[in-house]
Amino acid sequence: MQEKIKKFASADEEMRWLEETLEYNSKLYYELDAPIMQDEEYDALFRRLVDLEKEHPDLASPNSPTQRVGGKVSEKFEKVRHQVPMDSFGDIFSEEEIYDFVNKIKTEYPEADFIVERKFDGLSVSLEYENGLFKRGLTRGDGVEGEDVTENIRTIKSVPLKLNRETDLLVRGEVYMPRRVFAKLNEKREENGEKTFANPRNAAAGSLRQLDSKLCAARGLEIFIFNLQSALEIPERHSDSLEILEDLGFTVSPGGILCNTAEEVVNAVRSIGEMRPNLPYDTDGAVIKVDRLSIREQLGSTSSTPRWAVAYKYPAEIAETELTHIEIQVGRTGVLTPRAVLNPVRLAGSTVSYATLHNIDFIRERDIRIGDTVRLRKAGDIIPEIISVVAEKRKDGSVPFEMPTHCPSCGEPVVRPEGEAAVRCFNPDCPNQLSRSIIHFVSRGAMNIDNLGESVIEQFIENGLIKSAADLYYLKKEDISALDRLGEKSAQNIIDAIEKSKEAGLEKLLCGLGIRHIGEKAAQTLAAKFGDIRAIMNATVEELCVVDDIGTESAQSVVSFFGGEHVKMLIDRLIDAGVSVESKEKPLGNALEGKTVVVTGTLPTLKRAEAEALIRAHGGNALGSVSKKTDFVLCGTDAGSKLTKAQNLGIKIINEEEFLEIINSQKGD
C-alpha cells in the first residue's frame, strides 16, 4: 500500500494527488462498475486525505472527495435566481400528438431531426462550474428561482466536483434514487417504525432537501445530466453537447435515440416504453427534442414551455387487487375521509397498499364494497386511485358501505352539512384533528417551524405536552429533551425554531390556523386589508365580502371560525406568548386603492412576490389571472398568455418603471 503513495514535495502536492486518485477510482466504482482498486486500499487513501486536511485546513479543497460524506447543517435553503430559466416541457399523451408535433416542425424546418430520451422521475437541478470546479447546485423551484442545495449536491457521488478540463458552464440534470436504494431505504424505515416514502421521486426530493448534508449523503442519490444550459462554446447539436459533457466527466442521460421522421420518433418512444419496467430507476415518459440548437432558438418558447420539445407520458398502468377493508381518517378540519386498504400490488414502479376513496358519494357512484376486486391506476403516475370494480368477481353477501355515525377518533356524532359531500366531526378537541391541525400550523406555507415533523408532534401530543397550537410556544427544553430520540441539541433546535416563528406575521398565522376556504393567497389579502388579527375577528360577513377575492362562503367561514370560544382563547394565548398578530406588509399608501393588478413576465429588479407585496401595501389587489375587472397588467420580459389576453381586452399595460412611479407618486404630495 505504501508503495502506491509516492514521495511528494509538499502536503499540497500530495493532497491534490489524493483528490484526483480518489475521484477517478470513485467514478470507476460507482458509475462505470469497473473498479481497479480494493476497498481497503481506497479507504486507506481516503483516511490519509482526511488526516492531511485536518493538519492543513488552509489547503483543503471545497471539492475534495471527503466533502461527499456531508456534515454541514443549514438553517434553511437560500433562494437564488437561475442564470437560465428552467422551463418545464409541455405534455402529450398519444402517438397522434407525437406525429402532430414532429410534422409541424418538419413542415417549417425540413432539415430538423430529433432526439428521444428517457424522462427520469426525479428532481430537476442545475449545476454551475467555474474553471472546471463545482460551484453551486440549485433545485428547479418555480423555474425562475431555485433553492441553493450545493452542500447536498456535493454528496452525490456521480456529480463530478472537478471536470476533466478547466471551463465555465451550467448544466441541467435529474437527481434520482435508484430502485434498489429506495427499496432498502423503505425497508429500514419500516423496521424503525418510521413512515415509508411513497415512491423513489418523493424519497429523492426529501433527501435533497435535508438541512443536514450528512443525512442526504446517506440516501444514495444519483444524477443524470441531460442538458447544457450555457457554456463558453456551444456545439451545433444537442447530441454533440452530450458527448462533450460525457468527456468532461458527467454521467449523461443514457439511451438517446436520434430520429429523422415522425415514424422513427414514435418507434423510439415505443422502444423506451418497453424497457421501462427493467430499468434500475423510475421513468415517467420520453422527451422528444429538436437536436439542432439553431432550430431550437428559432422555434423559441411560450411563457413556460419550449416549442422545440415535448414530454410524452405513457398511459397509466392498471392493476387488479382485493379491497380488504375501508378505514376512516379524520383530517385537520374534521372531514372524515374513507381510505381503501388493499392487498399489496405492484403498480407503476411501487407497491400500493392504500387508495383514497374521497367521500361517500365517490364510493356510491362506483358501488365499491369491502371484499371487492378493484382496478387501480396512478393518477399522474403518483396517487393510487380506484377506477372501477370488477363486478363479476364480487363475493356473495357483500353489502354497500356506509359512513360511520360517530367519529372514530373522539366518538362524537358526525354531521354531513347540507350541500356538502364531506362528513364532518365538529369536536374541536378531537385528537386526530389536533395532530393534523398542528402539522399544518408548523408547515412551510404557514408558520414554517423547522425540526417539527409529524412524528415529533405525535410525541408531544401522546405525552400531553400540547393540546393546541398555542401550547407550542409554552414548551420547555427539558420537557422535549426527555422524550425518546430527542436529546439536548434537538430540543434546543426546536425551541429556537418556535421562537423564530413568532415573527412570521399575520399572513402566515392566518394560513396556519387552517380556516376553511382561506389559503395562502386569501390570508395575504386579509392581512393586507385589516392589518391586525383582532380587526379580522371583529369583522362582519359584509365587511369581509368587500375585500377582493373574499366571497360570501369564505367570509362566513372566517366569522364562524373566530366566533368559537376555544378559538378566542387560542388567539389570546398566542398573543400572550409573543406571537405577532400584525401584518408584515405594512400599508405604505393608497395609490392603488381599489385597483386590481396582474403581474406577468420577468421584471428588471423586482421579484413577482415583491411586486405583489407592494401592490397590496399600496391598497391594491394582486391577482394571478387577467379578466375584464383587471385595471392594469404589470409586465416584464418573456410574458405569455396573460399579456396576450390583456391586449385583447384592451387593458392598460405598464412596465416596472411606470409601476414604481405610480406607487411613489404620493411621496411628493
Side-chain angles (χ1 to χ4, degrees), residues 89 98 101-117 226-227 235-242 257-260 265 287-300 306-311:
F89 299 127
I98 296 177
F101 171 75
V102 173
N103 289 333
K104 183 179 179 181
I105 292 175
K106 292 288 283 187
T107 299
E108 191 173 354
Y109 301 96
E111 73 279 18
D113 46 11
F114 302 84
I115 185 167
V116 182
E117 300 172 345
F226 62 81
N227 201 60
E236 292 184 3
R237 293 177 176 271
H238 169 70
S239 51
D240 293 336
S241 72
L242 293 180
I257 304 171
L258 281 168
C259 308
N260 185 259
V265 171
V287 181
I288 304 161
K289 306 174 182 176
V290 170
D291 191 40
R292 197 182 295 271
L293 302 186
S294 59
I295 297 178
R296 287 188 185 186
E297 189 175 348
Q298 293 173 62
L299 285 168
R307 293 190 178 92
W308 45 264
V310 289

Tab-separated table of all heavy atoms in Angstrom, residues 89 98 101-117 226-227 235-242 257-260 265 287-300 306-311:
chain	number	residue	atom	x	y	z
A	89	PHE	N	-41.345	20.947	-19.751
A	89	PHE	CA	-41.806	20.567	-21.078
A	89	PHE	C	-43.323	20.409	-21.091
A	89	PHE	O	-43.921	19.948	-20.114
A	89	PHE	CB	-41.153	19.251	-21.522
A	89	PHE	CG	-39.653	19.312	-21.609
A	89	PHE	CD1	-38.862	18.385	-20.950
A	89	PHE	CD2	-39.034	20.305	-22.345
A	89	PHE	CE1	-37.477	18.449	-21.027
A	89	PHE	CE2	-37.652	20.374	-22.439
A	89	PHE	CZ	-36.871	19.447	-21.776
A	98	ILE	N	-47.708	12.991	-31.105
A	98	ILE	CA	-46.295	12.916	-31.498
A	98	ILE	C	-46.160	13.269	-32.977
A	98	ILE	O	-45.311	14.081	-33.373
A	98	ILE	CB	-45.710	11.511	-31.234
A	98	ILE	CG1	-45.699	11.198	-29.737
A	98	ILE	CG2	-44.291	11.418	-31.801
A	98	ILE	CD1	-45.208	9.797	-29.409
A	101	PHE	N	-46.666	17.002	-33.493
A	101	PHE	CA	-45.527	17.794	-33.039
A	101	PHE	C	-44.374	17.731	-34.042
A	101	PHE	O	-43.831	18.764	-34.459
A	101	PHE	CB	-45.066	17.297	-31.664
A	101	PHE	CG	-43.767	17.889	-31.193
A	101	PHE	CD1	-43.702	19.195	-30.732
A	101	PHE	CD2	-42.591	17.148	-31.244
A	101	PHE	CE1	-42.491	19.742	-30.316
A	101	PHE	CE2	-41.385	17.678	-30.826
A	101	PHE	CZ	-41.348	18.990	-30.358
A	102	VAL	N	-44.018	16.510	-34.452
A	102	VAL	CA	-42.875	16.333	-35.348
A	102	VAL	C	-43.167	16.923	-36.730
A	102	VAL	O	-42.349	17.669	-37.291
A	102	VAL	CB	-42.498	14.840	-35.460
A	102	VAL	CG1	-41.417	14.642	-36.527
A	102	VAL	CG2	-42.007	14.313	-34.117
A	103	ASN	N	-44.322	16.605	-37.293
A	103	ASN	CA	-44.628	17.044	-38.659
A	103	ASN	C	-44.791	18.557	-38.761
A	103	ASN	O	-44.460	19.160	-39.787
A	103	ASN	CB	-45.889	16.344	-39.166
A	103	ASN	CG	-45.632	14.862	-39.445
A	103	ASN	OD1	-44.506	14.465	-39.748
A	103	ASN	ND2	-46.662	14.040	-39.333
A	104	LYS	N	-45.296	19.180	-37.702
A	104	LYS	CA	-45.425	20.639	-37.703
A	104	LYS	C	-44.049	21.296	-37.811
A	104	LYS	O	-43.846	22.253	-38.568
A	104	LYS	CB	-46.133	21.106	-36.429
A	104	LYS	CG	-46.385	22.609	-36.379
A	104	LYS	CD	-47.124	22.990	-35.101
A	104	LYS	CE	-47.348	24.494	-35.041
A	104	LYS	NZ	-48.040	24.892	-33.781
A	105	ILE	N	-43.082	20.767	-37.074
A	105	ILE	CA	-41.720	21.312	-37.120
A	105	ILE	C	-41.059	20.981	-38.459
A	105	ILE	O	-40.384	21.828	-39.058
A	105	ILE	CB	-40.888	20.785	-35.939
A	105	ILE	CG1	-41.423	21.374	-34.620
A	105	ILE	CG2	-39.407	21.139	-36.107
A	105	ILE	CD1	-40.760	20.828	-33.376
A	106	LYS	N	-41.274	19.767	-38.949
A	106	LYS	CA	-40.667	19.360	-40.222
A	106	LYS	C	-41.203	20.184	-41.393
A	106	LYS	O	-40.479	20.428	-42.369
A	106	LYS	CB	-40.931	17.868	-40.481
A	106	LYS	CG	-40.203	16.930	-39.533
A	106	LYS	CD	-38.716	16.856	-39.796
A	106	LYS	CE	-38.379	16.015	-40.992
A	106	LYS	NZ	-36.912	15.826	-41.145
A	107	THR	N	-42.454	20.616	-41.298
A	107	THR	CA	-43.034	21.451	-42.364
A	107	THR	C	-42.288	22.776	-42.471
A	107	THR	O	-41.995	23.267	-43.574
A	107	THR	CB	-44.525	21.716	-42.083
A	107	THR	OG1	-45.210	20.464	-42.052
A	107	THR	CG2	-45.136	22.601	-43.156
A	108	GLU	N	-41.955	23.343	-41.313
A	108	GLU	CA	-41.262	24.640	-41.293
A	108	GLU	C	-39.755	24.472	-41.444
A	108	GLU	O	-39.088	25.314	-42.052
A	108	GLU	CB	-41.590	25.372	-39.988
A	108	GLU	CG	-41.140	26.820	-39.971
A	108	GLU	CD	-41.625	27.572	-38.735
A	108	GLU	OE1	-42.408	26.994	-37.949
A	108	GLU	OE2	-41.220	28.729	-38.559
A	109	TYR	N	-39.210	23.376	-40.893
A	109	TYR	CA	-37.764	23.129	-40.933
A	109	TYR	C	-37.529	21.688	-41.424
A	109	TYR	O	-37.345	20.769	-40.600
A	109	TYR	CB	-37.145	23.319	-39.545
A	109	TYR	CG	-37.341	24.693	-38.957
A	109	TYR	CD1	-38.402	24.942	-38.073
A	109	TYR	CD2	-36.496	25.747	-39.290
A	109	TYR	CE1	-38.590	26.207	-37.533
A	109	TYR	CE2	-36.679	27.018	-38.756
A	109	TYR	CZ	-37.734	27.235	-37.884
A	109	TYR	OH	-37.928	28.495	-37.350
A	110	PRO	N	-37.545	21.460	-42.736
A	110	PRO	CA	-37.381	20.096	-43.275
A	110	PRO	C	-36.089	19.420	-42.839
A	110	PRO	O	-36.013	18.189	-42.780
A	110	PRO	CB	-37.393	20.317	-44.791
A	110	PRO	CG	-38.093	21.630	-44.986
A	110	PRO	CD	-37.735	22.469	-43.798
A	111	GLU	N	-35.073	20.227	-42.529
A	111	GLU	CA	-33.780	19.656	-42.147
A	111	GLU	C	-33.729	19.231	-40.674
A	111	GLU	O	-32.726	18.654	-40.213
A	111	GLU	CB	-32.664	20.669	-42.413
A	111	GLU	CG	-32.603	21.866	-41.440
A	111	GLU	CD	-33.587	22.988	-41.767
A	111	GLU	OE1	-34.559	22.737	-42.519
A	111	GLU	OE2	-33.384	24.114	-41.263
A	112	ALA	N	-34.798	19.509	-39.927
A	112	ALA	CA	-34.801	19.209	-38.488
A	112	ALA	C	-34.763	17.710	-38.234
A	112	ALA	O	-35.405	16.925	-38.937
A	112	ALA	CB	-36.039	19.817	-37.830
A	113	ASP	N	-33.970	17.304	-37.240
A	113	ASP	CA	-34.037	15.939	-36.744
A	113	ASP	C	-34.256	16.004	-35.230
A	113	ASP	O	-34.237	17.078	-34.631
A	113	ASP	CB	-32.789	15.127	-37.105
A	113	ASP	CG	-31.499	15.891	-36.826
A	113	ASP	OD1	-31.566	16.950	-36.172
A	113	ASP	OD2	-30.436	15.429	-37.267
A	114	PHE	N	-34.472	14.844	-34.623
A	114	PHE	CA	-34.925	14.807	-33.235
A	114	PHE	C	-34.135	13.779	-32.442
A	114	PHE	O	-33.586	12.828	-32.999
A	114	PHE	CB	-36.422	14.451	-33.178
A	114	PHE	CG	-37.294	15.408	-33.951
A	114	PHE	CD1	-37.477	15.249	-35.328
A	114	PHE	CD2	-37.911	16.478	-33.323
A	114	PHE	CE1	-38.258	16.130	-36.050
A	114	PHE	CE2	-38.699	17.368	-34.045
A	114	PHE	CZ	-38.870	17.197	-35.408
A	115	ILE	N	-34.098	14.006	-31.133
A	115	ILE	CA	-33.510	13.012	-30.232
A	115	ILE	C	-34.560	12.680	-29.185
A	115	ILE	O	-35.219	13.561	-28.636
A	115	ILE	CB	-32.200	13.519	-29.585
A	115	ILE	CG1	-31.562	12.408	-28.746
A	115	ILE	CG2	-32.419	14.787	-28.776
A	115	ILE	CD1	-30.128	12.700	-28.333
A	116	VAL	N	-34.750	11.377	-28.954
A	116	VAL	CA	-35.735	10.900	-27.985
A	116	VAL	C	-34.984	10.331	-26.786
A	116	VAL	O	-34.133	9.440	-26.941
A	116	VAL	CB	-36.657	9.834	-28.600
A	116	VAL	CG1	-37.711	9.398	-27.581
A	116	VAL	CG2	-37.326	10.371	-29.862
A	117	GLU	N	-35.285	10.867	-25.601
A	117	GLU	CA	-34.571	10.476	-24.384
A	117	GLU	C	-35.547	10.006	-23.316
A	117	GLU	O	-36.733	10.351	-23.339
A	117	GLU	CB	-33.754	11.660	-23.842
A	117	GLU	CG	-32.714	12.185	-24.810
A	117	GLU	CD	-32.053	13.470	-24.330
A	117	GLU	OE1	-32.589	14.115	-23.400
A	117	GLU	OE2	-31.018	13.834	-24.896
A	226	PHE	N	-28.736	16.037	-18.487
A	226	PHE	CA	-29.424	15.905	-19.771
A	226	PHE	C	-29.427	17.169	-20.621
A	226	PHE	O	-29.970	17.166	-21.720
A	226	PHE	CB	-30.864	15.415	-19.574
A	226	PHE	CG	-31.749	16.335	-18.766
A	226	PHE	CD1	-32.342	17.444	-19.349
A	226	PHE	CD2	-32.015	16.077	-17.433
A	226	PHE	CE1	-33.171	18.281	-18.625
A	226	PHE	CE2	-32.839	16.901	-16.696
A	226	PHE	CZ	-33.417	18.012	-17.302
A	227	ASN	N	-28.806	18.255	-20.132
A	227	ASN	CA	-28.785	19.454	-20.985
A	227	ASN	C	-27.634	20.381	-20.619
A	227	ASN	O	-27.304	20.554	-19.439
A	227	ASN	CB	-30.099	20.218	-20.868
A	227	ASN	CG	-30.336	21.122	-22.069
A	227	ASN	OD1	-30.416	20.649	-23.196
A	227	ASN	ND2	-30.427	22.420	-21.847
A	235	PRO	N	-21.929	23.655	-28.978
A	235	PRO	CA	-21.889	22.918	-30.253
A	235	PRO	C	-23.164	23.169	-31.072
A	235	PRO	O	-24.097	23.830	-30.615
A	235	PRO	CB	-21.802	21.457	-29.806
A	235	PRO	CG	-22.465	21.444	-28.465
A	235	PRO	CD	-22.148	22.772	-27.826
A	236	GLU	N	-23.201	22.622	-32.279
A	236	GLU	CA	-24.349	22.830	-33.154
A	236	GLU	C	-25.537	21.958	-32.766
A	236	GLU	O	-26.681	22.328	-33.022
A	236	GLU	CB	-23.962	22.526	-34.614
A	236	GLU	CG	-22.964	23.515	-35.206
A	236	GLU	CD	-22.693	23.226	-36.671
A	236	GLU	OE1	-23.337	22.299	-37.221
A	236	GLU	OE2	-21.859	23.921	-37.264
A	237	ARG	N	-25.260	20.810	-32.153
A	237	ARG	CA	-26.341	19.872	-31.855
A	237	ARG	C	-26.360	19.475	-30.371
A	237	ARG	O	-25.309	19.410	-29.718
A	237	ARG	CB	-26.186	18.598	-32.707
A	237	ARG	CG	-26.387	18.821	-34.194
A	237	ARG	CD	-26.139	17.537	-34.968
A	237	ARG	NE	-26.411	17.703	-36.389
A	237	ARG	CZ	-27.607	17.512	-36.941
A	237	ARG	NH1	-28.630	17.145	-36.184
A	237	ARG	NH2	-27.786	17.686	-38.238
A	238	HIS	N	-27.556	19.193	-29.911
A	238	HIS	CA	-27.717	18.723	-28.532
A	238	HIS	C	-26.985	17.398	-28.330
A	238	HIS	O	-26.318	17.193	-27.297
A	238	HIS	CB	-29.215	18.560	-28.225
A	238	HIS	CG	-29.504	17.839	-26.949
A	238	HIS	ND1	-29.247	18.385	-25.709
A	238	HIS	CD2	-30.028	16.600	-26.719
A	238	HIS	CE1	-29.595	17.520	-24.770
A	238	HIS	NE2	-30.074	16.436	-25.349
A	239	SER	N	-27.082	16.499	-29.300
A	239	SER	CA	-26.416	15.200	-29.184
A	239	SER	C	-24.903	15.369	-29.058
A	239	SER	O	-24.243	14.613	-28.336
A	239	SER	CB	-26.757	14.312	-30.377
A	239	SER	OG	-26.521	14.992	-31.602
A	240	ASP	N	-24.341	16.374	-29.746
A	240	ASP	CA	-22.903	16.655	-29.619
A	240	ASP	C	-22.577	17.153	-28.212
A	240	ASP	O	-21.531	16.813	-27.645
A	240	ASP	CB	-22.472	17.700	-30.649
A	240	ASP	CG	-22.564	17.181	-32.078
A	240	ASP	OD1	-22.502	15.947	-32.258
A	240	ASP	OD2	-22.702	18.009	-33.003
A	241	SER	N	-23.476	17.974	-27.666
A	241	SER	CA	-23.227	18.530	-26.325
A	241	SER	C	-23.195	17.419	-25.274
A	241	SER	O	-22.423	17.486	-24.314
A	241	SER	CB	-24.295	19.569	-25.963
A	241	SER	OG	-25.544	18.963	-25.688
A	242	LEU	N	-24.013	16.371	-25.456
A	242	LEU	CA	-23.996	15.258	-24.508
A	242	LEU	C	-22.650	14.538	-24.544
A	242	LEU	O	-22.131	14.110	-23.497
A	242	LEU	CB	-25.128	14.274	-24.821
A	242	LEU	CG	-26.563	14.792	-24.600
A	242	LEU	CD1	-27.575	13.701	-24.949
A	242	LEU	CD2	-26.768	15.261	-23.173
A	257	ILE	N	-32.047	8.363	-28.597
A	257	ILE	CA	-32.225	7.780	-29.934
A	257	ILE	C	-32.427	8.906	-30.945
A	257	ILE	O	-33.391	9.676	-30.843
A	257	ILE	CB	-33.437	6.833	-29.960
A	257	ILE	CG1	-33.288	5.748	-28.875
A	257	ILE	CG2	-33.611	6.215	-31.336
A	257	ILE	CD1	-34.535	4.906	-28.680
A	258	LEU	N	-31.512	9.032	-31.909
A	258	LEU	CA	-31.636	10.050	-32.950
A	258	LEU	C	-32.630	9.601	-34.019
A	258	LEU	O	-32.598	8.451	-34.463
A	258	LEU	CB	-30.272	10.329	-33.581
A	258	LEU	CG	-29.337	11.239	-32.776
A	258	LEU	CD1	-27.929	11.217	-33.350
A	258	LEU	CD2	-29.874	12.665	-32.751
A	259	CYS	N	-33.516	10.503	-34.415
A	259	CYS	CA	-34.570	10.192	-35.382
A	259	CYS	C	-34.697	11.326	-36.392
A	259	CYS	O	-34.382	12.484	-36.089
A	259	CYS	CB	-35.917	10.021	-34.673
A	259	CYS	SG	-35.902	8.855	-33.301
A	260	ASN	N	-35.225	10.965	-37.578
A	260	ASN	CA	-35.431	11.981	-38.603
A	260	ASN	C	-36.900	12.167	-38.942
A	260	ASN	O	-37.333	13.265	-39.271
A	260	ASN	CB	-34.651	11.623	-39.873
A	260	ASN	CG	-34.734	12.720	-40.913
A	260	ASN	OD1	-35.497	12.630	-41.868
A	260	ASN	ND2	-33.954	13.787	-40.718
A	265	VAL	N	-39.582	8.591	-34.584
A	265	VAL	CA	-39.775	9.114	-33.220
A	265	VAL	C	-40.760	8.233	-32.458
A	265	VAL	O	-40.524	7.862	-31.301
A	265	VAL	CB	-40.271	10.578	-33.261
A	265	VAL	CG1	-40.682	11.029	-31.858
A	265	VAL	CG2	-39.188	11.501	-33.806
A	287	VAL	N	-38.855	12.103	-23.594
A	287	VAL	CA	-38.760	13.502	-24.027
A	287	VAL	C	-38.305	13.536	-25.482
A	287	VAL	O	-37.312	12.893	-25.846
A	287	VAL	CB	-37.775	14.295	-23.146
A	287	VAL	CG1	-37.728	15.750	-23.598
A	287	VAL	CG2	-38.183	14.221	-21.687
A	288	ILE	N	-39.044	14.273	-26.295
A	288	ILE	CA	-38.726	14.408	-27.724
A	288	ILE	C	-38.208	15.822	-27.937
A	288	ILE	O	-38.915	16.801	-27.678
A	288	ILE	CB	-39.982	14.166	-28.587
A	288	ILE	CG1	-40.588	12.799	-28.259
A	288	ILE	CG2	-39.637	14.286	-30.065
A	288	ILE	CD1	-42.030	12.661	-28.698
A	289	LYS	N	-36.959	15.951	-28.420
A	289	LYS	CA	-36.326	17.260	-28.561
A	289	LYS	C	-35.799	17.450	-29.985
A	289	LYS	O	-35.315	16.499	-30.602
A	289	LYS	CB	-35.138	17.406	-27.597
A	289	LYS	CG	-35.440	17.150	-26.138
A	289	LYS	CD	-34.151	17.197	-25.332
A	289	LYS	CE	-34.374	16.909	-23.864
A	289	LYS	NZ	-33.101	16.872	-23.101
A	290	VAL	N	-35.873	18.673	-30.469
A	290	VAL	CA	-35.163	19.028	-31.699
A	290	VAL	C	-33.675	18.977	-31.388
A	290	VAL	O	-33.222	19.513	-30.368
A	290	VAL	CB	-35.576	20.434	-32.181
A	290	VAL	CG1	-34.668	20.897	-33.317
A	290	VAL	CG2	-37.034	20.427	-32.626
A	291	ASP	N	-32.897	18.336	-32.248
A	291	ASP	CA	-31.478	18.143	-31.958
A	291	ASP	C	-30.647	19.373	-32.296
A	291	ASP	O	-29.755	19.765	-31.543
A	291	ASP	CB	-30.946	16.924	-32.713
A	291	ASP	CG	-29.562	16.514	-32.240
A	291	ASP	OD1	-29.319	16.562	-31.019
A	291	ASP	OD2	-28.733	16.148	-33.090
A	292	ARG	N	-30.942	20.027	-33.419
A	292	ARG	CA	-30.124	21.163	-33.865
A	292	ARG	C	-30.472	22.405	-33.036
A	292	ARG	O	-31.620	22.862	-32.999
A	292	ARG	CB	-30.341	21.436	-35.348
A	292	ARG	CG	-29.251	22.319	-35.984
A	292	ARG	CD	-29.574	22.564	-37.442
A	292	ARG	NE	-29.524	21.336	-38.236
A	292	ARG	CZ	-28.420	20.883	-38.830
A	292	ARG	NH1	-27.287	21.555	-38.731
A	292	ARG	NH2	-28.457	19.773	-39.532
A	293	LEU	N	-29.484	22.993	-32.370
A	293	LEU	CA	-29.722	24.095	-31.440
A	293	LEU	C	-30.152	25.379	-32.144
A	293	LEU	O	-30.906	26.178	-31.583
A	293	LEU	CB	-28.472	24.347	-30.591
A	293	LEU	CG	-27.970	23.145	-29.765
A	293	LEU	CD1	-26.816	23.568	-28.865
A	293	LEU	CD2	-29.078	22.533	-28.931
A	294	SER	N	-29.712	25.588	-33.367
A	294	SER	CA	-30.112	26.802	-34.099
A	294	SER	C	-31.614	26.793	-34.388
A	294	SER	O	-32.277	27.829	-34.351
A	294	SER	CB	-29.326	26.913	-35.406
A	294	SER	OG	-29.548	25.772	-36.236
A	295	ILE	N	-32.164	25.607	-34.679
A	295	ILE	CA	-33.607	25.498	-34.910
A	295	ILE	C	-34.366	25.710	-33.602
A	295	ILE	O	-35.425	26.346	-33.575
A	295	ILE	CB	-33.952	24.130	-35.542
A	295	ILE	CG1	-33.288	24.009	-36.912
A	295	ILE	CG2	-35.457	23.951	-35.663
A	295	ILE	CD1	-33.529	22.671	-37.599
A	296	ARG	N	-33.817	25.190	-32.501
A	296	ARG	CA	-34.430	25.429	-31.184
A	296	ARG	C	-34.578	26.932	-30.930
A	296	ARG	O	-35.623	27.396	-30.478
A	296	ARG	CB	-33.570	24.823	-30.075
A	296	ARG	CG	-33.589	23.331	-29.982
A	296	ARG	CD	-32.865	22.901	-28.718
A	296	ARG	NE	-32.731	21.463	-28.611
A	296	ARG	CZ	-32.236	20.847	-27.542
A	296	ARG	NH1	-31.826	21.547	-26.494
A	296	ARG	NH2	-32.151	19.520	-27.507
A	297	GLU	N	-33.509	27.655	-31.224
A	297	GLU	CA	-33.515	29.097	-30.974
A	297	GLU	C	-34.590	29.788	-31.805
A	297	GLU	O	-35.279	30.693	-31.330
A	297	GLU	CB	-32.135	29.676	-31.275
A	297	GLU	CG	-31.973	31.126	-30.842
A	297	GLU	CD	-30.552	31.636	-31.031
A	297	GLU	OE1	-29.649	30.807	-31.289
A	297	GLU	OE2	-30.355	32.851	-30.929
A	298	GLN	N	-34.756	29.373	-33.043
A	298	GLN	CA	-35.762	29.981	-33.913
A	298	GLN	C	-37.178	29.612	-33.472
A	298	GLN	O	-38.086	30.435	-33.558
A	298	GLN	CB	-35.527	29.537	-35.360
A	298	GLN	CG	-34.233	30.086	-35.965
A	298	GLN	CD	-33.951	29.500	-37.341
A	298	GLN	OE1	-34.733	29.697	-38.268
A	298	GLN	NE2	-32.853	28.784	-37.478
A	299	LEU	N	-37.368	28.405	-32.977
A	299	LEU	CA	-38.687	27.993	-32.507
A	299	LEU	C	-39.071	28.725	-31.224
A	299	LEU	O	-40.235	29.062	-31.016
A	299	LEU	CB	-38.710	26.478	-32.269
A	299	LEU	CG	-38.758	25.601	-33.524
A	299	LEU	CD1	-38.469	24.150	-33.172
A	299	LEU	CD2	-40.116	25.718	-34.195
A	300	GLY	N	-38.084	28.954	-30.349
A	300	GLY	CA	-38.331	29.720	-29.127
A	300	GLY	C	-39.195	28.981	-28.123
A	300	GLY	O	-39.326	27.756	-28.152
A	306	PRO	N	-40.825	25.243	-23.782
A	306	PRO	CA	-40.167	25.409	-25.086
A	306	PRO	C	-41.027	24.817	-26.201
A	306	PRO	O	-41.737	23.831	-25.999
A	306	PRO	CB	-38.863	24.632	-24.916
A	306	PRO	CG	-39.140	23.629	-23.857
A	306	PRO	CD	-40.134	24.257	-22.933
A	307	ARG	N	-40.946	25.424	-27.393
A	307	ARG	CA	-41.694	24.904	-28.538
A	307	ARG	C	-40.931	23.789	-29.255
A	307	ARG	O	-41.476	23.157	-30.151
A	307	ARG	CB	-41.980	26.048	-29.533
A	307	ARG	CG	-42.935	27.109	-28.994
A	307	ARG	CD	-43.370	28.065	-30.116
A	307	ARG	NE	-44.313	29.057	-29.644
A	307	ARG	CZ	-43.995	30.262	-29.176
A	307	ARG	NH1	-42.715	30.614	-29.127
A	307	ARG	NH2	-44.928	31.099	-28.765
A	308	TRP	N	-39.671	23.579	-28.857
A	308	TRP	CA	-38.829	22.611	-29.546
A	308	TRP	C	-38.773	21.249	-28.839
A	308	TRP	O	-38.003	20.366	-29.220
A	308	TRP	CB	-37.410	23.152	-29.715
A	308	TRP	CG	-36.837	23.797	-28.482
A	308	TRP	CD1	-36.826	25.126	-28.161
A	308	TRP	CD2	-36.193	23.117	-27.386
A	308	TRP	NE1	-36.227	25.322	-26.943
A	308	TRP	CE2	-35.825	24.104	-26.445
A	308	TRP	CE3	-35.896	21.786	-27.110
A	308	TRP	CZ2	-35.184	23.800	-25.257
A	308	TRP	CZ3	-35.260	21.469	-25.917
A	308	TRP	CH2	-34.903	22.477	-25.015
A	309	ALA	N	-39.560	21.065	-27.802
A	309	ALA	CA	-39.540	19.797	-27.067
A	309	ALA	C	-40.906	19.525	-26.447
A	309	ALA	O	-41.639	20.455	-26.099
A	309	ALA	CB	-38.470	19.815	-25.983
A	310	VAL	N	-41.234	18.248	-26.314
A	310	VAL	CA	-42.432	17.825	-25.587
A	310	VAL	C	-42.095	16.578	-24.784
A	310	VAL	O	-41.135	15.854	-25.091
A	310	VAL	CB	-43.628	17.515	-26.521
A	310	VAL	CG1	-44.195	18.778	-27.121
A	310	VAL	CG2	-43.240	16.502	-27.588
A	311	ALA	N	-42.897	16.330	-23.756
A	311	ALA	CA	-42.733	15.123	-22.945
A	311	ALA	C	-43.926	14.212	-23.179
A	311	ALA	O	-45.070	14.602	-22.935
A	311	ALA	CB	-42.633	15.487	-21.467
